[in-house]
Amino acid sequence: MDISKTLRDESKSLSAAFNAAPVQLAGHGKREVRVLKEAFAGAGDHVASDMYGAGEVIEEFQAEMAEVLGKEAAVFFPSGTMAQQIALRIWSDRKGSRRVAYHPLCHLEIHEQDGLKELHHLQPLLLADKDRLITLEDVQNMGAGIACLLLELPQREIGGQLPEYAELEAISAYCRGQGIMLHLDGARLFEALPYYGKTAAEVCSLFDSVYISFYKGIGGIAGAVLAGSADFTGESKIWKRRHGGDLISLYPYIIPSRYYYQQRVDKMGQYYTDAKELAERFNACHKVVTLPEVPVSNMFHVHFALPREQVEPALITVSEETGVGFTPRLKETGEFSCAYELNIGDLYSSIPKAKLEAAFGLLDRLLKEA
Amino acid sequence: MDISKTLRDESKSLSAAFNAAPVQLAGHGKREVRVLKEAFAGAGDHVASDMYGAGEVIEEFQAEMAEVLGKEAAVFFPSGTMAQQIALRIWSDRKGSRRVAYHPLCHLEIHEQDGLKELHHLQPLLLADKDRLITLEDVQNMGAGIACLLLELPQREIGGQLPEYAELEAISAYCRGQGIMLHLDGARLFEALPYYGKTAAEVCSLFDSVYISFYKGIGGIAGAVLAGSADFTGESKIWKRRHGGDLISLYPYIIPSRYYYQQRVDKMGQYYTDAKELAERFNACHKVVTLPEVPVSNMFHVHFALPREQVEPALITVSEETGVGFTPRLKETGEFSCAYELNIGDLYSSIPKAKLEAAFGLLDRLLKEA
């Protein structure tokens, strides 16, 4: 093996070029210790830890989030994986049915090592095709015996698409009529609000339970909230203990969640506008389309009609020559195509327009020639 | 209701008196934000977060703990509740038996809302009586079909008792001979080492898997490590994801765990010596005995042969008059008795002897007259 060549290849990798670029298109910046230190800089030394779910630091934030989401109560969880399995389990137990329904690319189906099946023995029905949203018709055709339907807003794995609000209302009304519980995977709920022009509480009023995350658009360290009626959240605390999530101290996640929530919840409109502008820049390039073509939140997917081996050197060149990093990695989506996911955060709006034009101008030329 | 009386009662509560006392007998100090800030003061701003179990900050600490415990590999978990259920599940699956064995006051039996049964459907056999340790004879009489035996060292709920090391070796040899997996609940393993005069790796060599905690004697914020063979820990990572414990970032617990481990692991001998001295002071008082009478770790239980309503005012008076806080709460153990648990940490050795003598002298007089 030629070590010097390996080193050259390493230094030429997309990930290395991205990390070395002085400017990144997406996100809020690197996930590093600074993020925690900034959140704690204003927290008093003698603020008491939460203790197994009790104490001001957790109870106040839970009450605040319950109000924001328009629900009776909320519980802070270390992860959405834990919170959502538990939500579906509670509704399943109450309805006396192990059958739940969700999208084929739901987080529970593809990112959780089948925890829902292995720990809770629930049987998910996969609604809709992988590449489109769940429709009212899908829901009407689910068949009998579904305890709970989970909807993810926006649907991340297809670029963050959203159903029209009227369709969402119709699905909610149908489920209520049929006694089917409706759970919201709102990992990116705040990011979806500017498109809908609704408050979080308005959207959540269509659902019986809701999960939100604090490290997507909010940019915290980790953590989630599960909200619903007080009896639902009370039961969720028992399951949180069973899962091993009722930690003696969750404040290392709660204080940053609250800090970054306050910093960023009002910036979601800006991120959405920025995402639409950035998607236009991509769509103006040869052999590039975004999904959705016009974003409906702060996120979209970038699809290249070229094999990964041809896109990587183009993105490396753009990084090195213009100082703009696009992505650390590309996913092969076929023999002659690749893609990546992009979430707009604080960084985009601070990039000078001239720099963006230089970067996209060069990218377009390189892809056209490729 | 007489509100002014309630307020007076509140200010006279044991918990309030304890918190107001300038000196506390047990522990390392209050659980508050300062604990996190101190641990992060020396951490560089640009230290990268772990990402879903990968990255230097988690991998280096796991490797360090694997070496300390003499095991092939180790995995950092948010909680021991999660780590231990998973350990028992893995051994149960491998042995093809749902039956495991542990002490009747095992953490999994009394503090976890039956997660082991509700999530993993394991069937625990409760060995020994509640008020004594598991013996070799108990283990020999378990009957066939036990996949895994869990031993807790020291056995917290009976004051932190330890079996003699020869008995531990005999139990381990018996289990190996019978093909029974042996798991160590080592929440307080480091605290037990001075009594045994053994290293952590020596004790762990008797076990197939081991869990340790970072917020007992070590005094971190939260977090646990599960160690064993590489195939065992590899499987545990899959279950960690299923439980919702494979967080995007665990560094808010890992960095403090490492920091306080380095600060305190060598102080366990001091805590043990202090615990023996302090137990002597309690045992010299009227109507007080400690369990064990002579501690074998940094912990013991304090039992009063008086009803809680008589002990509380005595402890409040001692706090107010001498400035020494004993405990924020007492547990009723019978109609005429109560008790509490005590864990020696950094605080005890800094209390002037004269202050201790004043506090115990007054306590003895008050209890004698009660």
Side-chain angles (χ1 to χ4, degrees), chain A residues 31-34 37 40 43 45-47 49 79 82 85 111 113 120-121 241-244 249 253, chain B residues 31-34 37 40 43 45-47 49 79 82 85 111 113 119 121 241-244 249 253:
Chain A
R31 292 186 60 88
E32 54 190 17
V33 162
R34 178 191 49 76
K37 286 192 173 184
F40 275 92
D45 278 3
H46 300 299
V47 170
S49 172
S79 74
M82 196 183 290
Q85 285 181 28
H111 290 306
Q113 293 279 2
H120 295 287
H121 308 286
R241 171 65 62 102
R242 288 173 177 156
H243 266 253
S249 297
Y253 297 128
Chain B
R31 291 186 61 89
E32 54 189 19
V33 162
R34 177 191 50 75
K37 286 192 174 184
F40 275 91
D45 277 5
H46 300 299
V47 169
S49 172
S79 73
M82 195 183 290
Q85 285 182 28
H111 290 306
Q113 293 278 3
L119 289 170
H121 308 287
R241 171 65 62 102
R242 288 173 177 156
H243 266 252
S249 297
Y253 297 126

Side-chain angles (χ1 to χ4, degrees), chain A residues 175-202:
Chain A
C175 287
R176 293 219 161 129
Q178 299 289 317
I180 299 162
M181 308 310 291
L182 194 56
H183 172 76
L184 171 57
D185 177 340
R188 295 164 184 80
L189 171 64
F190 299 113
E191 294 87 319
L193 298 177
Y195 174 76
Y196 281 145
K198 302 283 179 185
T199 65
E202 283 168 339

Side-chain angles (χ1 to χ4, degrees), chain B residues 22 156 158 173 183 209 262 289 309 316:
Chain B
R156 176 197 180 181
I158 51 173
H183 172 76
S209 55
Q262 286 165 353
V289 288
E309 307 80 61
I316 291 168

